[in-house]
Amino acid sequence: IPKKLLLKLRLHNSRRVLSGGQLDEVFVKQSRGLLVLRSRDDDNTRKSLITSSRGAFVWSGDDSGNVCVWDSQTGTCIKRLHTPSRRRVCSLAVYGEGTDVEQVWVGCQGGSISTYDTRTLELWGLLPGHTQDVLAMVRVGDHMWSAAGFIVWVWGNCHTSDPHVVKELNCVGKDILSLLTSTSGAFVFCGSIAGFVVLDAKSGETLTIGRVDEGITDVVEVRAR
């Protein structure tokens, strides 16, 4: 791995692709080497990273509201998308991975959320967003959760172009920086500027509260073999 600042790490479920964002570059770790994904059109920091289509693509978002879709095998930027708001991309998440309704959700500065079809790489929908930056999103079962400030919205009907908010959670108390669903799907970890809260994925009830000295900006689940 290059000896530079890495901002994000993501391990795909297939364990074939590990992606990390570093300033104007994106690194993809394959089993046989390291690909550097670099676009000549843009030198903005890529802070948001996900993989889609069973690891075939890496999606990155930048400070100018651009989303690049990369071929994870060749390191080529195959499409560059512009979010409708043209504001900083704060978070990315995948819904329906590996299905006919697979989408990438893009959360931006100011609260807007847009969705993209991973087959056509075209805009799927523009959702009525939060009033603050959407700093975290995650799929929880058949729903999507989005976090802005200390508010979490639970979205239903996500397999269509018209998702809607079915529940609002306000149980963290501090600005939420990260969301993670457990492998079992039973729990959701919410990292905030003051600590973390573990919620029941179905009811949204608080199960555990923890405190830390610094904010939890990102979190991954590690399972022992």
Side-chain angles (χ1 to χ4, degrees), residues 4 6 27 34 44 47 49 57 67 125 134 202 207 209:
K4 298 180 180 179
L6 286 176
F27 301 103
L34 183 72
N44 285 299
K47 297 177 181 178
L49 288 167
F57 302 127
V67 175
V134 184
K202 291 185 177 180
L207 302 176
I209 298 176

Side-chain angles (χ1 to χ4, degrees), residues 211-222:
R211 305 294 181 188
V212 295
D213 294 332
E214 298 180 358
I216 302 175
T217 59
D218 201 14
V219 60
V220 295
E221 183 177 18
V222 179

Side-chain angles (χ1 to χ4, degrees), residues 38-176:
R38 184 185 297 110
S39 172
R40 296 179 180 179
D41 300 328
D42 166 41
D43 59 356
N44 285 299
T45 302
R46 298 189 178 94
K47 297 177 181 178
S48 302
L49 288 167
I50 55 167
T51 57
S52 74
S53 306
R54 301 189 185 278
F57 302 127
V58 176
W59 296 63
S60 67
D62 67 28
D63 290 340
S64 297
N66 302 311
V67 175
C68 281
V69 185
W70 312 80
D71 186 314
S72 66
Q73 299 297 319
T74 65
T76 303
C77 181
I78 59 177
K79 189 154 188 179
R80 179 185 169 115
L81 307 168
H82 303 286
T83 58
S85 69
R86 297 296 182 95
R87 302 187 71 179
R88 184 179 76 246
V89 176
C90 301
S91 56
L92 296 168
V94 179
Y95 175 83
E97 187 166 9
T99 70
D100 292 339
V101 294
E102 185 181 66
Q103 308 159 32
V104 167
W105 286 45
V106 181
C108 291
Q109 179 184 26
S112 67
I113 299 174
S114 52
T115 62
Y116 293 86
D117 188 317
T118 60
R119 295 170 300 174
T120 63
L121 303 183
E122 298 291 342
L123 182 68
W124 176 254
L126 181 62
L127 309 183
H130 296 265
T131 58
Q132 299 185 57
D133 302 351
V134 184
L135 297 183
M137 295 189 295
V138 70
R139 179 185 179 182
V140 182
D142 293 331
H143 298 86
M144 289 292 290
W145 289 28
S146 61
F150 53 85
I151 299 296
V152 174
W153 282 356
V154 179
W155 297 82
N157 207 36
C158 299
H159 61 286
T160 73
S161 59
D162 186 30
H164 56 271
V165 177
V166 296
K167 185 184 296 185
E168 180 177 301
L169 304 176
N170 179 7
C171 50
V172 178
K174 297 290 184 180
D175 287 358
I176 300 169

